Amino acid sequence: MTTTEAAAPDDTILYHHFDDLDQQHLSSVLGMWVFLATEVLFFGGLLAAYVIYRALYRGAFIAAGEHLNVILGGINTAVLLTSSLTMALAVRAAQFRRHDAVVLFLSLTTILGATFLGIKAVEWYRDYQEHLMPGVDFDWAKAQAGRHEPSPRPDGRGTEGTSEVHEAGPGAGKSTAPSASVRRAESEMPLPLLPPPGGTLGEEPTTTEAGRAQLFFCLYFFLTGLHGLHMIIGIGLLAVFIALVRRRWFSGGGATQIEMLGLYWHFVDIVWVYLYPILYLIDIKS
Amino acid sequence: MSQHILTVRANLTVFGVLMLLLIVTVAATYAVPVRFGVFVALTIATIKAVMIMMYFMHLKFSDRLARIFAAAAFLWLGILIALSLNDYLTRGWLNIPGK
């Protein structure tokens, strides 16, 4: 990859507490990376929880993950990667002091970011319709039944689907009633590491697997929700930066400031680059 | 100022590789045996993340100190996840009475 030195005349204001513009720029870069490190660990807590529970409750998490829409998630990944490209081009334009191009590319980034959130909202609404939203409407039996009925799978009859294949093993039976089959699977299911919560299962439809699937969706909504919050903040920042660039508010064409905004935006992109495979892709059956 | 400017061509190349890797990771989900799926998916995701950090986030052209700062973030994330798993995954190994 070839790079060139900044061609534009340097009109950046040097603040008095810096020795030179290089030091001023580096301090901005380092400060931003320190912030991003805290962000990595902010997401890291949720990620670690997800990794641990995925390792413990693999079968239920696979069954739950198969409810997510791989295609919409993939389109969203493409949208976000494209927004990273426009963001990188905005930084480049700022380095050349091409203000109109900066405004154009920042606007494109904003539009792509909003597109991502729009698609995400559609996904969330579908999850809600499929009874997959913990705390609002979570019904694992209904969700499993709804998943298997419309799909033209040759093997699919009722709810004795993926979950039992993974978790119950060879004993997975031919029972027809969804609650009975789930309950039976649960009684047969070896619990290798942790005891079932409480032990008072019975009249409620909350089986162990339903609880684990609910845990998956809790983590899913918090991970994607926290990511979505960062997108909203990013779009807000983009709007402010567009207004400021239009007013020529920055010294040095805002090259450093827009680069820092770019670092934030690319970071949010990287988070999604990891969320997409671990939530949508891993272990699904074709 | 020593800010490096990536050419449009370089930006587009990185973007193209990223999109290609996105297609590869989706295809690999269905093509690769399930037990290797996690490793393939995470490897591709890490390649994508490193490319974004190196080119879009300019780490390739940044001061070494900036790269250390970036690496530290992921080092600590690794410690968080690895040591937590080390605890959870080995709890059942010892038959401690009354546990």
Side-chain angles (χ1 to χ4, degrees):
Chain A
M1 302 285 170
T2 50
T3 57
T4 52
E5 292 286 315
D10 212 328
D11 48 350
T12 312
I13 295 171
L14 176 66
Y15 283 87
H16 62 85
H17 48 283
F18 293 113
D19 291 339
D20 52 30
L21 288 175
D22 276 348
Q23 191 202 23
Q24 176 170 290
H25 178 249
L26 181 60
S27 68
S28 295
V29 171
L30 290 181
M32 197 63 201
W33 273 105
V34 168
F35 169 67
L36 293 183
T38 67
E39 288 276 86
V40 167
L41 294 175
F42 185 22
F43 280 95
L46 273 171
L47 279 176
Y50 178 82
V51 169
I52 288 164
Y53 281 118
R54 174 146 205 133
L56 294 181
Y57 306 144
R58 185 158 176 268
F61 269 46
I62 291 170
E66 284 177 348
H67 285 271
L68 301 182
N69 192 322
V70 174
I71 295 168
L72 283 183
I75 291 171
N76 250 353
T77 314
V79 168
L80 214 48
L81 288 175
T82 313
S83 80
S84 260
L85 173 69
T86 56
M87 190 73 228
L89 292 175
V91 172
R92 181 185 146 81
Q95 287 166 332
F96 283 114
R97 315 290 189 262
R98 294 174 190 150
H99 302 289
D100 292 338
V102 172
V103 171
L104 171 71
F105 283 124
L106 289 182
S107 304
L108 283 175
T109 310
T110 312
I111 291 167
L112 288 166
T115 308
F116 176 92
L117 282 176
I119 295 174
K120 202 69 221 151
V122 170
E123 276 191 76
W124 281 331
Y125 182 62
R126 282 187 171 194
D127 296 333
Y128 167 71
Q129 284 180 318
E130 292 172 21
H131 311 282
L132 289 171
M133 200 171 270
V136 181
D137 175 20
F138 190 87
D139 191 326
W140 185 234
K142 273 190 202 167
Q144 288 288 74
R147 175 180 154 72
H148 287 288
E149 260 167 31
S151 69
R153 301 172 111 188
D155 60 317
R157 161 64 213 137
T159 54
E160 45 167 356
T162 50
S163 58
E164 278 181 295
V165 174
H166 294 303
E167 289 233 13
K174 299 267 181 245
S175 55
T176 47
S179 62
S181 77
V182 171
R183 220 168 274 165
R184 190 172 146 212
E186 183 244 317
S187 65
E188 289 172 1
M189 185 164 38
L191 294 169
L193 293 162
L194 295 179
T200 53
L201 300 164
E203 68 283 355
E204 289 297 313
T206 307
T207 62
T208 307
E209 187 189 271
R212 291 171 179 178
Q214 191 165 1
L215 185 61
F216 173 89
F217 278 97
C218 279
L219 289 165
Y220 162 78
F221 278 109
F222 271 102
L223 279 165
T224 56
L226 187 62
H227 180 264
L229 176 68
H230 279 80
M231 293 290 297
I232 292 169
I233 292 169
I235 287 172
L237 289 173
L238 279 165
V240 171
F241 271 61
I242 289 168
L244 292 180
V245 171
R246 281 169 66 95
R247 292 182 186 191
R248 309 285 187 269
W249 189 81
F250 296 112
S251 84
T256 301
Q257 290 89 337
I258 292 167
E259 191 187 346
M260 296 309 115
L261 178 64
L263 287 181
Y264 175 84
W265 192 263
H266 297 309
F267 163 78
V268 177
D269 188 16
I270 287 175
V271 172
W272 185 258
V273 160
Y274 277 100
L275 287 188
Y276 177 55
I278 68 170
L279 290 172
Y280 290 73
L281 292 181
I282 287 176
D283 290 334
I284 59 170
K285 298 261 184 287
S286 52
Chain B
M1 259 220 322
S2 67
Q3 276 188 53
H4 282 265
I5 300 176
L6 223 56
T7 59
V8 174
R9 191 192 180 88
N11 274 316
L12 288 174
T13 308
V14 172
F15 173 69
V17 174
L18 287 173
M19 293 300 263
L20 199 68
L21 284 172
L22 168 63
I23 294 166
V24 169
T25 191
V26 175
T29 304
Y30 298 100
V32 174
V34 171
R35 62 189 317 182
F36 303 118
V38 177
F39 301 105
V40 172
L42 286 182
T43 305
I44 294 174
T46 303
I47 294 171
K48 281 160 79 177
V50 168
M51 284 194 69
I52 293 172
M53 284 193 284
M54 280 296 176
Y55 293 103
F56 284 169
M57 298 172 92
H58 298 169
L59 273 188
K60 194 178 188 336
F61 321 105
S62 294
D63 198 275
R64 274 203 195 128
L65 198 53
R67 274 188 252 176
I68 291 172
F69 275 44
F74 291 92
L75 175 71
W76 256 260
L77 180 66
I79 290 171
L80 173 68
I81 291 176
L83 293 189
S84 302
L85 276 179
N86 180 36
D87 174 16
Y88 277 93
L89 295 185
T90 56
R91 275 188 194 181
W93 288 9
L94 300 174
N95 274 322
I96 299 167
K99 185 176 75 89

